Amino acid sequence: MLCKTVEDTDRDAASINTILGTIHFEKHTDEKALEYIQKSLRIRLRGCGKYHMDTADSYDEIAVFLRWKGELEKAMEYLNASLYIMVPKLNAYNPSVASCLYRMGNAELLHNNLDQSLDNLTKCCHISNKALGYKHSKLADTHQLLWLIYEKMGLCIRSLDQLTLCLLV
């Protein structure tokens, strides 16, 4: 649901800027992409406030872009901001919270921060199991990443457990 305090033109402007940012992201025109996505965030902050789900979405969109650029620390700041808004609004066992934790765990894994990645992906898995059921298709990707982490850590038995869970989904 879009925020009600924003005029229709502002709502449209935020959406258009997000779309333009995505187009530039796909065309690898990085600075333009970031410019449009940040403009969308500014519009949502002005119209919706700091603690609205639309604002959380903008933080998440910026984080995806920054992670792709390899700017892990900045991406994690934006993902944490998104999560900070989501948990009180949705509750801790919402699939959107699990998705945010998945992106955090994936980003940490890409930068070889195995302990942080393991923590976020384990939380993601727990939330997804509770919210969606243990055989939901979204869990296969999480189990696959957990398998990779355990492999890198040299924990073969846990690695095989995750691979088995991945195949069962």
Side-chain angles (χ1 to χ4, degrees):
M1 177 174 90
L2 288 172
C3 54
K4 294 177 181 156
T5 58
V6 178
E7 297 290 328
D8 286 341
T9 54
D10 283 347
R11 236 184 273 142
D12 292 344
S15 296
I16 290 168
N17 278 288
T18 298
I19 292 166
L20 289 170
T22 303
I23 291 168
H24 282 283
F25 176 75
E26 290 171 358
K27 292 171 76 177
H28 303 287
T29 50
D30 297 350
E31 295 311 312
K32 274 289 193 198
L34 187 56
E35 178 185 321
Y36 282 113
I37 295 170
Q38 286 176 330
K39 187 173 183 182
S40 177
L41 173 61
R42 286 191 301 274
I43 292 168
R44 287 176 173 158
L45 281 168
R46 182 183 70 232
C48 303
K50 292 192 317 188
Y51 304 108
H52 195 277
M53 287 301 298
D54 288 353
T55 305
D57 289 344
S58 283
Y59 284 133
D60 195 67
E61 291 158 0
I62 292 171
V64 168
F65 174 77
L66 292 170
R67 190 192 74 180
W68 179 81
K69 281 186 65 177
E71 296 182 30
L72 174 66
E73 288 180 30
K74 283 184 182 177
M76 294 305 287
E77 287 175 27
Y78 282 97
L79 284 170
N80 278 314
S82 181
L83 197 59
Y84 184 78
I85 296 167
M86 275 191 241
V87 172
K89 298 268 185 207
L90 301 175
N91 83 45
Y93 292 101
N94 188 286
S96 293
V97 172
S99 293
C100 189
L101 288 166
Y102 175 85
R103 284 188 290 284
M104 292 172 88
N106 191 11
E108 295 285 5
L109 178 60
L110 290 172
H111 289 82
N112 237 9
N113 298 334
L114 300 181
D115 290 334
Q116 296 289 117
S117 181
L118 181 61
D119 184 49
N120 286 320
L121 290 170
T122 302
K123 288 176 188 173
C124 170
C125 209
H126 177 70
I127 292 168
S128 296
N129 276 334
K130 188 167 178 128
L132 303 170
Y134 77 96
K135 286 200 172 195
H136 196 278
S137 61
K138 285 188 173 189
L139 280 163
D141 291 339
T142 307
H143 287 303
Q144 185 177 14
L145 290 180
L146 285 167
W147 167 70
L148 285 170
I149 292 167
Y150 287 130
E151 278 288 310
K152 287 184 173 203
M153 293 176 135
L155 301 170
C156 296
I157 299 299
R158 286 194 173 177
S159 172
L160 289 173
D161 288 345
Q162 291 303 318
L163 187 57
T164 302
L165 288 170
C166 182
L167 294 172
L168 289 174
V169 172

